[in-house]
Each structure stands twice: as C-alpha cells, then as structure tokens.
Amino acid sequence: MTIAWPQSADESAQTPNTAEDILRHAREAVPFLREWAADIEAARRLPEDVVDLLRRNGVFRAAAPKDRGGPELTSIQQTELIETLATGDVSTAWCAMIGMDSGIYAGYLEEEAVQEFYGDLDTPNSGWIHPQGRAERVPGGYRVSGHWRFGSGSTHCDVLVAGCQVFKDGQPETDPVTGDPVHWRVMVARPDQYEIVDTWFTTGLAGSGSRDYKVTDLFVPEQHSFSFHVPRRTGPLHATPDAILRKMSGVPLGLARAAIDHVRDLAHSRVDRETGTPWTQNPRVQSTLARAEMELNAARAAVYSGLQEQWAALERGDETTARQRTATALARYHAFRTARNIVTVLFDLVGGSSIYREKSPLDRWLRDANTMCQHAVAQESILELTGQVLLGGESRSPFF
C-alpha cells in the first residue's frame, strides 16, 4: 500500500537530531499512524513507508551518542518519544522502542564493529538478547546455533542480535567478568544471515512483525559480540544494562493515553440508551473516566520520577541504591498492568460497539494490551525479584 505520510517542506532537510525536534516530528506523525494503524496490524509488520517515516524523523538514532553525531536522548526523553508514538500506533511504538537500541548496543562494541553495523545512525535494530542460543568458542570467534523468538522489527531491521550462552570444547564457559556459571554474550549479525520464520500470528501487537529466527553453525567474529558487563562507553546509557528497558514504559503509557482520549471524545456524541442521559452528564461515565485518568497519572508519575532519580544518580557516577534499582522496574511493571486495566474498563464502558475492529480502536488496543503484558517485564516474577533486592538479597537479574 502507499501511505501519504507527512513530508518536510524542504525535502532535503536533514534528519532531526535534537530531542526537541525528534519529539516534535513524532507528535506530527501521530494522526497518520492512527489513520493507518488497522492496516499496519493487517500487514503483520511495519510497512516500508512507516519504517522510512521513523528513520526520516530520527527515531532510530535517538540513543546515538553526541560524539558520534547523534542526539543522545536521555532515558526520560526516549520514554517520552515512545509514549508519543504509542498514542498513534502501538506496534509502531514497540518496533521503535526496539529499533533505537542500536545506539545503546553500539556502546558495547569495538569501534571497527560499530562502524560496520552502526555507522549509519539511523540503523534499526532487532533481536532477542536472552541467552537462548549456543555459541561454541572457536579460533577468532564463535559458531552460533539457535532458535530465537520475539524478533520485533525483524521484518525491517538492518541489524539482528541474538543472545547466546558460550561453550568451550562442548562445556559451559564461566563468565570471565562476573564468575557466573553462564557466560552470556550477544551476537551481532545481519538479518539475511538468519532464517526468519513467520510465526507471528498473535492477538495483539500484530503489526510488530515479531517473528522467530534461527541459524545453525553461523561464524560470528569475537569483535561482533558483546557482554553487558563490559561496556566500551561511559555515561548513564551504559552504566547499567537496564538502559534498553527504561523506555519500555512509554508503550503502555501512550496506549492508555490514546484510549482515554478516544472515550472522552466519544462521550460528546453518545447518549445512555436506558435513561437518555448524555454521556457527558452520566455519573458512571464521569467517574470511570476520572478514575482512568487518575490511575494513568499515578503510573506515569512513577515511571518518570523513577527514571529521573536513576538518571541523576548515574550522571553523578553514584552507585544506585536498591530502591533506585528496583523503582524503575516496579514502575514499568505497574505501567503495563495499569494500561491493560484502563483499556479493559473503557472497553466495557463503551460496550457492544467496542468489538467491531473496523469501527473502534478499542478492540485492537485491548488485544495489544493483553499481548504486551506477556512480556517478561510485566510478569509477576518482577515482584519476586525486586522484593528480594528490597529485602537485602542479591539480584538474580542483570537489569536491576
């Protein structure tokens, strides 16, 4: 399909390269993303026009450092960017959130590899980083085999990463930095080096194209792999591995914002069938919307206050406290769960007309909310892990 995306008045204009300009372009794109959200879902991937829009508007370069010519958005600004895009289309925001990891991953690689894979700041990234694959150590690098799920954006990415456990002579290798029994490394390669498997037939986030990918005996040079324990750059985006997760909250926050605004607009044209009372005067509608607004504001405040406190500590070079390390994880969990609850309540409030996917976005948003809450960051295990840290225990996760 051909999409009439907004064009710059000056077609030769450079890609926006400041937080202010990138966020402004994102806001301008929201109406167009809303218009085409159903088509994005039907395609089960981001159309090239959408990918080009994100690239042209500076989304994929958001985390690229300033000394490489990038805008180097803070984690707070990255979250705001994803939140804005999610008010237009959730799958697009999800892919943008994954795609801009290119600027973060580049900070773990040697310069030669950075230039090879991320020399173009507008490179979209994809891949599943958890050590689901196997990397057998060989001279000069690794022989990689595995099958990974959830390759969000794998249908349009320029770089596809894969998390692996390292083996040597057939035996698990101990992590040389931490001493952990599992040596976890992330392999960096091109998508055409893998077999992309179209498994992405889901209820929600259908447009994210989060397909499986697999490979057998792929040689990956040592310099094309990295460990989150060995950053090559300094600063808040590389001080702790959770930088890739911090912006995730923007997706549910933007989804909930869009759903509330949609029902508020709808209320001006609806009348209660039983009483004939306009929705704007209906106490049930008023209290439901007020409660949704309250819950979203609380969730959003927790996300941004936690990110701001963490960022300030990392900028100072301080070692973060247990409370600071867990606050962002708990706020992220809460944002996902709160968004799903808000969309569910609004779906019920609107009633029967919610179920018609061609007439109401609430059907798609409900399915998106349920699907995104199956991500690891929104699972009950997060409460167990963070609770253990808050009670003085050791974290079993590298992300907090």
Side-chain angles (χ1 to χ4, degrees), residues 119-351:
D120 180 351
L121 298 184
D122 300 303
T123 295
N125 205 94
S126 178
W128 180 251
I129 61 170
H130 289 279
Q132 197 162 329
R134 180 186 181 103
E136 185 71 32
R137 187 177 289 279
V138 296
Y142 308 91
R143 289 289 177 183
V144 174
S145 298
H147 187 137
W148 297 264
R149 297 188 298 165
F150 307 125
S152 300
S154 58
T155 53
H156 64 258
C157 69
D158 293 332
V159 178
L160 186 57
V161 303
C164 290
Q165 180 178 357
V166 178
F167 289 76
K168 184 177 181 180
D169 299 326
Q171 298 299 315
E173 185 175 275
T174 301
D175 190 300
V177 177
T178 65
D180 291 340
V182 174
H183 182 188
W184 172 21
R185 290 190 74 81
V186 178
M187 306 294 153
V188 183
R190 299 293 182 185
D192 60 8
Q193 293 179 275
Y194 295 88
E195 178 185 351
I196 309 296
V197 187
D198 188 4
T199 54
W200 197 240
F201 297 90
T202 59
T203 55
L205 291 177
S208 67
S210 305
R211 300 178 180 182
D212 288 16
Y213 56 106
K214 61 182 180 179
V215 75
T216 301
D217 205 29
L218 171 67
F219 176 71
V220 176
E222 177 74 32
Q223 64 270 25
H224 292 180
S225 70
F226 67 86
S227 166
F228 282 111
H229 298 299
V230 189
R232 305 284 178 178
R233 301 188 68 88
T234 59
L237 285 180
H238 295 93
T240 57
D242 75 318
I244 62 173
L245 302 181
R246 296 173 199 161
K247 60 191 178 300
M248 286 189 73
S249 299
V251 181
L253 293 179
L255 165 61
R257 177 75 273 154
I260 293 173
D261 289 349
H262 170 75
V263 177
R264 284 181 64 186
D265 290 341
L266 190 66
H268 291 282
S269 61
R270 294 199 63 165
V271 174
D272 187 87
R273 184 173 55 194
E274 301 297 332
T275 65
T277 304
W279 264 32
T280 54
Q281 300 172 26
N282 187 311
R284 178 173 62 92
V285 175
Q286 293 168 342
S287 60
T288 299
L289 282 169
R291 185 175 294 107
E293 194 74 47
M294 174 185 67
E295 292 174 353
L296 175 58
N297 287 342
R300 192 173 188 273
V303 166
Y304 283 102
S305 63
L307 287 174
Q308 288 164 353
E309 183 175 348
Q310 179 194 38
W311 187 267
L314 294 175
E315 271 194 320
R316 294 191 300 267
D318 295 348
E319 183 174 349
T320 53
T321 65
R323 185 185 60 78
Q324 289 170 333
R325 291 196 303 274
T326 57
T328 52
L330 289 170
R332 188 164 50 241
Y333 167 91
H334 184 57
F336 274 80
R337 294 301 186 100
T338 298
R340 181 170 66 177
N341 181 64
I342 288 172
V343 175
T344 300
V345 169
L346 295 179
F347 185 90
D348 289 344
L349 176 68
V350 173

Side-chain angles (χ1 to χ4, degrees), residues 71-90:
E72 198 169 348
L73 271 63
T74 68
S75 293
I76 297 94
Q77 292 165 337
Q78 291 176 36
T79 305
E80 186 178 355
L81 172 58
I82 297 304
E83 181 182 14
T84 300
L85 293 171
T87 64
D89 177 62
V90 180

Side-chain angles (χ1 to χ4, degrees), residues 17 25 34 37 119-120 132 134 206 231 318 345 357 363 367:
N17 204 41
H25 279 75
R34 286 179 179 170
D120 180 351
Q132 197 162 329
R134 180 186 181 103
D318 295 348
V345 169
R357 64 171 63 188
D363 174 79
R367 289 182 284 105

